[in-house]
Amino acid sequence: MAKLYFRYGAMNSGKSTALLQAAFNYEERGHEVLLAKPSIDTKGDREIVSRLGVAREVDFTIGAGDAVLDLFERQRTRVIERSGRDVSCLLVDEAQFLDSSQVDDLLRIALLDDVPVLAYGIRTDFQTAAFRGSRRLLEIAHSLEELKTICRCGRKAIFNGRLIDGRYVFDGDQVAIDGQHVEYESLCGVCYLQESGGVLHGTPTA
């Protein structure tokens, strides 16, 4: 039985690099893989872009409300028609941007189609609140693996700080793709609290 894997980490923990390496490993051994990402991730357009400079175009993007199972089956059929081989793995980047039903489809692909699914993403946003896709993956994935990185102080980074024009901000929309004026920094808990004035913004208020 195939499994659904969730590999998560703070910004700059090498998630996209690990995904591209996994795809390379499969293909080096003669297997077919499919790569996907949410269309809301406009960084690199239709590419998965590693901060090391490696990039690769995805086989399909996932829009809001799209049925991931249907998208996967269409691409899977094309792979079989082209190569005569079935898909050995589905790799999904930026999985935090999926909704709960789309993550459920990832589990269906693993269980019903017997194709391993490797989902990579960020657990929480810049306010320490869980993304919908990440929350669902933490609930149903067979395997959870944390990809680690360090804070500027040398401690393990677990949070993501958002900077606009070089200044930390703690209010705003949950999604803001890094690019012009918007940057992110991986922070440990201590450094995050120092920058936020001691507030964990994702904590519900009474």
Side-chain angles (χ1 to χ4, degrees):
M1 181 186 72
K3 295 180 180 181
L4 170 59
Y5 301 82
F6 182 34
R7 296 173 176 173
Y8 65 91
M11 298 290 291
N12 303 317
S13 59
K15 297 178 297 298
S16 296
T17 301
L19 183 154
L20 294 172
Q21 181 66 53
F24 175 82
N25 291 345
Y26 269 96
E27 291 174 334
E28 188 180 36
R29 290 161 178 79
H31 293 275
E32 298 287 340
V33 299
L34 287 174
L35 277 63
K37 74 171 186 175
S39 57
I40 193 173
D41 176 29
T42 55
K43 183 173 75 273
D45 194 16
R46 287 182 55 88
E47 289 185 327
I48 293 173
V49 181
S50 161
R51 293 181 185 272
L52 294 181
V54 181
R56 173 170 169 170
E57 186 173 353
V58 297
D59 297 287
F60 63 94
T61 59
I62 304 165
D66 283 350
V68 178
L69 185 59
D70 292 343
L71 295 173
F72 169 77
E73 292 294 357
R74 284 199 292 270
Q75 292 297 325
R76 182 187 193 184
T77 298
R78 291 173 184 168
V79 168
I80 293 172
E81 291 174 346
R82 171 181 54 80
S83 69
R85 298 191 298 267
D86 202 353
V87 172
S88 294
C89 185
L90 170 63
L91 300 109
V92 182
D93 199 28
E94 306 291 359
Q96 72 271 9
F97 295 138
L98 301 178
D99 63 36
S100 296
S101 65
Q102 291 171 332
V103 173
D104 289 350
D105 267 356
L106 298 183
L107 182 65
R108 293 185 182 99
I109 291 167
L111 295 180
L112 302 181
D113 290 311
D114 199 29
V115 174
V117 179
L118 279 61
Y120 295 77
I122 297 168
R123 184 179 55 175
T124 59
D125 64 16
F126 73 109
Q127 295 177 314
T128 72
F131 287 96
R132 286 183 301 171
S134 299
R135 182 184 298 114
R136 189 61 177 149
L137 281 160
L138 289 167
E139 291 169 341
I140 68 172
H142 294 91
S143 174
L144 303 174
E145 178 184 349
E146 184 180 14
L147 303 178
K148 299 176 178 63
T149 190
I150 62 170
C151 177
R152 62 196 182 196
C153 69
R155 299 185 184 94
K156 175 185 167 185
I158 58 174
F159 295 129
N160 304 294
R162 177 184 289 176
L163 300 95
I164 296 180
D165 294 326
R167 298 182 62 184
Y168 283 97
V169 296
F170 296 93
D171 295 304
D173 294 336
Q174 185 177 54
V175 179
I177 304 301
D178 55 346
Q180 187 177 16
H181 305 304
V182 178
E183 299 174 288
Y184 292 91
E185 183 180 0
S186 306
L187 299 170
C188 71
V190 173
C191 289
Y192 183 92
L193 289 174
Q194 288 174 347
E195 296 293 346
S196 70
V199 178
L200 289 172
H201 293 260
T203 305
T205 55

